[in-house]
Amino acid sequence: MSFPKNFLWGAAAAAYQIEGAARADGRGESVWDMFCRKPGAVWNGQSGAVACDHYRRFKRDVAMMKSLGLQAYRLSVAWPRVIPNGTGKTNAKGLAFYDKLIDELLAADIQPFVTLFHWDYPLPLYNRGGWLNRDSAEWFADYTKIVVAKLSDRVKHWMTLNEPFAFVGVGHQSGQHAPGDKHAWAETLRVVHNVLRSHGRAVQVIRSHGKLKPQIGWAPCGRTCIPATPNDIQSARAAMFTITERTLWQHTWWSDPVFFGRYPAEGLKVFGADAPKIEPGDMQTIQQPLDFFGVNIYWGDIIRGGKQIPPAVGHALTTYGWTVTPEALYWGPRFLQERYKVPVIITENGMGNTDWISLDGQVHDPQRIDFLHRHLRELRRACADGVDVRGYFQWSIMDNFEWNEGYKQRFGLVYVDYPTQRRIPKDSAYWYKRVIETNGANL
Ligand code: IFM
């Protein structure tokens, strides 16, 4: 068994997590720069100010990606690098960085997949109300126009937003991520609504201004449900898509508006008076045809008899404490495709680990190899059962700044020795190279 013929193998990273160079060439500040200064907000007071210094080392990093056989690389553009104030004057030097990066990737025969927003929201716009402000959709559309004008002669694959659940739910509701707000439900759902409107406006802009025929998706995350037995398939599907309580950790509240042009009825009931005010035309703006459903999946909940069951005592956990449930990569794409009916791309999957350099100078990460092996076998099974999965992006190409966890979590295929910025491909990187070469036939 192998993966479909044109299956795309990649790895991903995001601007603030790897670029560093936070003050270079006129980059403006994002909410993450502000949040990292807040005492106690990030593990050991760390920040992405230097990170992997990818901004300066990108040529070597792309050469490394090539040597590892990557066919695609998912990157994000830092809005404050391109427009330091969020709106208004463009920063030519910041934009030039992405221009050069795209050229470098294409010269290495690596397809760029570009995410427009991966959480580094311009601080000056946050100070004007941020996503709470209805104008945020136009701010995002204007920024998108600039990026698309510069890159779309070479970039074909676009994603609007990365994990809206995280930057809204964790950033604006629980306050553990930037900007650190703890909004009540009404404000949080207003943020969601403006985020969805922004997504829709960005899709319109890419569609109308993209120079190559653009392929557009987004990269949400949400609850994945796994049936414990074949008898639990229907209840796992229902658990994944039915809203019974107030939570943003779900797919339906986000993706039903995007694909069906309406908020789910049960959700409207659950959120009641806190549901957002919908202006005429909003839902049409939000519902723009997408070419693929990008989805970030790290684990799933096991459902038996209609209920979530706890993992067995001693169940495998990553260093983050996330359960290791490879079947999530079978049921997640399958259920999402059944419901939303577009091809799926796994835009993130991987694990945090406590990797270090061994006495032999190498980085051995057998857990990550086993984790990826198990997950990719499940993804292959999904393909064999007819789920249209077009690609897989491992998170992450290299260790990086893991938000409020700082540099504690290592997710990379490549180890980064931060004090020297030396890169050491881990065993998993060589293993993944072999997976790519065989199109997964070796799994
Ligand atoms: O590092 C993050 C990424 O930015 C978004 N998805 C989850 C990853 C691991 O936590």
Side-chain angles (χ1 to χ4, degrees), residues 189-222:
L189 295 175
R190 179 142 48 100
V191 167
V192 172
H193 191 62
N194 288 333
V195 161
L196 292 173
R197 289 175 51 243
S198 306
H199 158 84
R201 285 291 293 119
V203 177
Q204 289 174 332
V205 168
I206 305 167
R207 204 65 87 196
S208 57
H209 292 68
K211 293 174 195 151
L212 303 177
K213 190 170 178 287
Q215 293 290 298
I216 313 174
W218 67 336
C221 60

Short mmCIF file of all heavy atoms in Angstrom, two decimals, residues 189-222:
data_model
loop_
_atom_site.label_atom_id
_atom_site.label_comp_id
_atom_site.label_asym_id
_atom_site.label_seq_id
_atom_site.Cartn_x
_atom_site.Cartn_y
_atom_site.Cartn_z
N LEU A 189 -17.32 35.64 20.93
CA LEU A 189 -18.03 35.23 19.71
C LEU A 189 -18.05 36.35 18.67
O LEU A 189 -18.12 36.10 17.47
CB LEU A 189 -19.44 34.75 20.05
CG LEU A 189 -19.45 33.47 20.92
CD1 LEU A 189 -20.86 33.10 21.34
CD2 LEU A 189 -18.79 32.29 20.21
N ARG A 190 -17.94 37.58 19.15
CA ARG A 190 -17.80 38.70 18.21
C ARG A 190 -16.44 38.60 17.52
O ARG A 190 -16.30 38.82 16.32
CB ARG A 190 -17.96 40.04 18.95
CG ARG A 190 -17.80 41.26 18.07
CD ARG A 190 -18.74 42.39 18.43
NE ARG A 190 -18.80 42.70 19.84
CZ ARG A 190 -18.13 43.71 20.43
NH1 ARG A 190 -17.33 44.49 19.71
NH2 ARG A 190 -18.27 43.96 21.71
N VAL A 191 -15.42 38.26 18.31
CA VAL A 191 -14.08 38.05 17.73
C VAL A 191 -14.16 36.94 16.68
O VAL A 191 -13.68 37.10 15.55
CB VAL A 191 -13.05 37.71 18.84
CG1 VAL A 191 -11.76 37.19 18.22
CG2 VAL A 191 -12.76 38.93 19.70
N VAL A 192 -14.79 35.83 17.03
CA VAL A 192 -14.90 34.71 16.07
C VAL A 192 -15.55 35.21 14.78
O VAL A 192 -15.06 34.92 13.67
CB VAL A 192 -15.76 33.56 16.66
CG1 VAL A 192 -16.04 32.50 15.60
CG2 VAL A 192 -15.08 32.94 17.87
N HIS A 193 -16.63 35.96 14.92
CA HIS A 193 -17.37 36.40 13.73
C HIS A 193 -16.48 37.28 12.84
O HIS A 193 -16.44 37.09 11.62
CB HIS A 193 -18.62 37.16 14.18
CG HIS A 193 -19.57 37.43 13.06
ND1 HIS A 193 -20.19 36.44 12.32
CD2 HIS A 193 -19.99 38.61 12.52
CE1 HIS A 193 -20.94 36.99 11.39
NE2 HIS A 193 -20.85 38.31 11.48
N ASN A 194 -15.75 38.18 13.45
CA ASN A 194 -14.88 39.04 12.64
C ASN A 194 -13.71 38.26 12.04
O ASN A 194 -13.26 38.57 10.93
CB ASN A 194 -14.38 40.22 13.48
CG ASN A 194 -15.49 41.23 13.74
OD1 ASN A 194 -16.42 41.34 12.94
ND2 ASN A 194 -15.41 41.94 14.85
N VAL A 195 -13.25 37.26 12.77
CA VAL A 195 -12.19 36.39 12.24
C VAL A 195 -12.72 35.65 11.01
O VAL A 195 -12.05 35.56 9.97
CB VAL A 195 -11.71 35.42 13.35
CG1 VAL A 195 -10.98 34.23 12.76
CG2 VAL A 195 -10.83 36.15 14.36
N LEU A 196 -13.94 35.15 11.10
CA LEU A 196 -14.52 34.43 9.95
C LEU A 196 -14.76 35.38 8.77
O LEU A 196 -14.52 35.02 7.61
CB LEU A 196 -15.83 33.75 10.37
CG LEU A 196 -15.68 32.57 11.35
CD1 LEU A 196 -17.05 32.08 11.81
CD2 LEU A 196 -14.89 31.42 10.72
N ARG A 197 -15.20 36.60 9.07
CA ARG A 197 -15.39 37.58 7.99
C ARG A 197 -14.03 37.90 7.34
O ARG A 197 -13.93 38.07 6.13
CB ARG A 197 -16.01 38.88 8.55
CG ARG A 197 -17.48 38.72 8.97
CD ARG A 197 -18.02 40.00 9.62
NE ARG A 197 -17.77 41.16 8.83
CZ ARG A 197 -17.00 42.21 9.20
NH1 ARG A 197 -16.43 42.21 10.40
NH2 ARG A 197 -16.82 43.22 8.40
N SER A 198 -13.01 37.96 8.17
CA SER A 198 -11.67 38.27 7.64
C SER A 198 -11.21 37.14 6.73
O SER A 198 -10.63 37.38 5.66
CB SER A 198 -10.66 38.42 8.78
OG SER A 198 -11.13 39.38 9.68
N HIS A 199 -11.47 35.90 7.18
CA HIS A 199 -11.13 34.75 6.34
C HIS A 199 -11.82 34.89 4.97
O HIS A 199 -11.19 34.77 3.92
CB HIS A 199 -11.58 33.45 7.03
CG HIS A 199 -11.78 32.31 6.09
ND1 HIS A 199 -10.74 31.50 5.68
CD2 HIS A 199 -12.89 31.86 5.44
CE1 HIS A 199 -11.21 30.59 4.81
NE2 HIS A 199 -12.50 30.79 4.66
N GLY A 200 -13.12 35.18 5.00
CA GLY A 200 -13.88 35.27 3.74
C GLY A 200 -13.35 36.37 2.83
O GLY A 200 -13.18 36.18 1.62
N ARG A 201 -13.04 37.51 3.42
CA ARG A 201 -12.52 38.62 2.60
C ARG A 201 -11.16 38.25 2.00
O ARG A 201 -10.88 38.57 0.84
CB ARG A 201 -12.37 39.89 3.48
CG ARG A 201 -13.69 40.57 3.80
CD ARG A 201 -14.32 41.21 2.55
NE ARG A 201 -13.53 42.32 2.03
CZ ARG A 201 -12.97 42.38 0.82
NH1 ARG A 201 -13.09 41.36 -0.02
NH2 ARG A 201 -12.27 43.44 0.44
N ALA A 202 -10.34 37.55 2.79
CA ALA A 202 -9.03 37.16 2.26
C ALA A 202 -9.19 36.18 1.10
O ALA A 202 -8.50 36.29 0.08
CB ALA A 202 -8.17 36.55 3.37
N VAL A 203 -10.13 35.26 1.23
CA VAL A 203 -10.35 34.30 0.12
C VAL A 203 -10.77 35.07 -1.13
O VAL A 203 -10.26 34.83 -2.22
CB VAL A 203 -11.41 33.24 0.49
CG1 VAL A 203 -11.67 32.32 -0.70
CG2 VAL A 203 -10.97 32.42 1.71
N GLN A 204 -11.67 36.04 -0.96
CA GLN A 204 -12.11 36.84 -2.13
C GLN A 204 -10.92 37.53 -2.79
O GLN A 204 -10.79 37.53 -4.01
CB GLN A 204 -13.12 37.90 -1.69
CG GLN A 204 -14.47 37.33 -1.31
CD GLN A 204 -15.41 38.40 -0.75
OE1 GLN A 204 -14.97 39.40 -0.17
NE2 GLN A 204 -16.72 38.18 -0.89
N VAL A 205 -10.05 38.08 -1.94
CA VAL A 205 -8.89 38.81 -2.49
C VAL A 205 -7.95 37.86 -3.23
O VAL A 205 -7.51 38.14 -4.35
CB VAL A 205 -8.13 39.54 -1.35
CG1 VAL A 205 -6.79 40.05 -1.83
CG2 VAL A 205 -8.97 40.68 -0.79
N ILE A 206 -7.67 36.72 -2.61
CA ILE A 206 -6.74 35.78 -3.27
C ILE A 206 -7.35 35.31 -4.59
O ILE A 206 -6.69 35.26 -5.62
CB ILE A 206 -6.44 34.55 -2.38
CG1 ILE A 206 -5.92 34.96 -1.00
CG2 ILE A 206 -5.42 33.63 -3.07
CD1 ILE A 206 -5.90 33.84 0.03
N ARG A 207 -8.64 34.98 -4.54
CA ARG A 207 -9.32 34.49 -5.74
C ARG A 207 -9.27 35.54 -6.86
O ARG A 207 -9.00 35.22 -8.01
CB ARG A 207 -10.75 34.18 -5.34
CG ARG A 207 -11.53 33.20 -6.14
CD ARG A 207 -11.07 31.78 -6.16
NE ARG A 207 -11.56 30.93 -5.10
CZ ARG A 207 -11.02 29.75 -4.80
NH1 ARG A 207 -9.97 29.29 -5.46
NH2 ARG A 207 -11.50 29.03 -3.82
N SER A 208 -9.49 36.80 -6.51
CA SER A 208 -9.57 37.78 -7.59
C SER A 208 -8.20 38.35 -7.98
O SER A 208 -8.04 38.82 -9.10
CB SER A 208 -10.53 38.91 -7.22
OG SER A 208 -10.10 39.50 -6.03
N HIS A 209 -7.22 38.30 -7.08
CA HIS A 209 -5.92 38.90 -7.42
C HIS A 209 -4.82 37.87 -7.68
O HIS A 209 -3.75 38.24 -8.16
CB HIS A 209 -5.44 39.84 -6.33
CG HIS A 209 -6.27 41.10 -6.21
ND1 HIS A 209 -7.57 41.09 -5.77
CD2 HIS A 209 -5.98 42.39 -6.47
CE1 HIS A 209 -8.05 42.32 -5.76
NE2 HIS A 209 -7.10 43.13 -6.18
N GLY A 210 -5.06 36.61 -7.32
CA GLY A 210 -4.02 35.58 -7.47
C GLY A 210 -3.63 35.42 -8.93
O GLY A 210 -4.50 35.27 -9.78
N LYS A 211 -2.33 35.42 -9.18
CA LYS A 211 -1.90 35.37 -10.58
C LYS A 211 -1.90 33.94 -11.13
O LYS A 211 -2.26 33.71 -12.28
CB LYS A 211 -0.54 36.04 -10.73
CG LYS A 211 -0.64 37.55 -10.45
CD LYS A 211 0.71 38.24 -10.45
CE LYS A 211 0.57 39.63 -9.82
NZ LYS A 211 1.78 40.09 -9.17
N LEU A 212 -1.43 32.98 -10.33
CA LEU A 212 -1.58 31.58 -10.74
C LEU A 212 -2.97 31.17 -10.29
O LEU A 212 -3.48 31.74 -9.34
CB LEU A 212 -0.55 30.70 -10.04
CG LEU A 212 0.92 31.06 -10.21
CD1 LEU A 212 1.79 30.12 -9.39
CD2 LEU A 212 1.30 30.97 -11.69
N LYS A 213 -3.55 30.17 -10.90
CA LYS A 213 -4.88 29.77 -10.43
C LYS A 213 -4.75 29.29 -8.97
O LYS A 213 -4.20 28.23 -8.71
CB LYS A 213 -5.40 28.64 -11.32
CG LYS A 213 -6.85 28.31 -11.08
CD LYS A 213 -7.36 27.35 -12.16
CE LYS A 213 -8.81 26.97 -11.90
NZ LYS A 213 -9.00 26.07 -10.80
N PRO A 214 -5.20 30.12 -8.02
CA PRO A 214 -4.89 29.79 -6.63
C PRO A 214 -5.68 28.60 -6.09
O PRO A 214 -6.82 28.37 -6.48
CB PRO A 214 -5.27 31.06 -5.87
CG PRO A 214 -6.14 31.84 -6.76
CD PRO A 214 -5.98 31.35 -8.16
N GLN A 215 -5.02 27.88 -5.20
CA GLN A 215 -5.66 26.81 -4.44
C GLN A 215 -5.75 27.32 -3.01
O GLN A 215 -4.71 27.57 -2.38
CB GLN A 215 -4.79 25.55 -4.47
CG GLN A 215 -4.69 24.92 -5.85
CD GLN A 215 -6.02 24.29 -6.25
OE1 GLN A 215 -6.49 23.38 -5.60
NE2 GLN A 215 -6.63 24.82 -7.30
N ILE A 216 -6.96 27.47 -2.52
CA ILE A 216 -7.13 28.17 -1.23
C ILE A 216 -7.77 27.27 -0.18
O ILE A 216 -8.74 26.56 -0.47
CB ILE A 216 -8.00 29.43 -1.41
CG1 ILE A 216 -7.53 30.25 -2.62
CG2 ILE A 216 -7.98 30.28 -0.14
CD1 ILE A 216 -8.41 31.43 -2.95
N GLY A 217 -7.21 27.33 1.01
CA GLY A 217 -7.78 26.60 2.14
C GLY A 217 -7.57 27.40 3.40
O GLY A 217 -7.26 28.59 3.36
N TRP A 218 -7.76 26.76 4.50
CA TRP A 218 -7.39 27.35 5.78
C TRP A 218 -6.85 26.23 6.65
O TRP A 218 -6.76 25.09 6.17
CB TRP A 218 -8.55 28.13 6.40
CG TRP A 218 -9.75 27.34 6.86
CD1 TRP A 218 -10.15 26.11 6.41
CD2 TRP A 218 -10.69 27.75 7.83
NE1 TRP A 218 -11.30 25.74 7.05
CE2 TRP A 218 -11.66 26.73 7.93
CE3 TRP A 218 -10.83 28.88 8.66
CZ2 TRP A 218 -12.73 26.81 8.82
CZ3 TRP A 218 -11.90 28.95 9.51
CH2 TRP A 218 -12.85 27.93 9.60
N ALA A 219 -6.45 26.52 7.87
CA ALA A 219 -5.83 25.47 8.69
C ALA A 219 -6.37 25.51 10.12
O ALA A 219 -5.66 25.85 11.06
CB ALA A 219 -4.31 25.64 8.68
N PRO A 220 -7.65 25.15 10.27
CA PRO A 220 -8.20 25.13 11.62
C PRO A 220 -7.81 23.88 12.40
O PRO A 220 -7.26 22.93 11.83
CB PRO A 220 -9.71 25.13 11.37
CG PRO A 220 -9.86 24.41 10.07
CD PRO A 220 -8.63 24.74 9.26
N CYS A 221 -8.08 23.89 13.67
CA CYS A 221 -7.99 22.67 14.48
C CYS A 221 -9.29 22.58 15.26
O CYS A 221 -10.04 23.54 15.32
CB CYS A 221 -6.79 22.73 15.42
SG CYS A 221 -6.87 24.11 16.59
N GLY A 222 -9.56 21.46 15.82
CA GLY A 222 -10.79 21.28 16.59
C GLY A 222 -10.85 19.85 17.07
O GLY A 222 -9.95 19.05 16.81
#
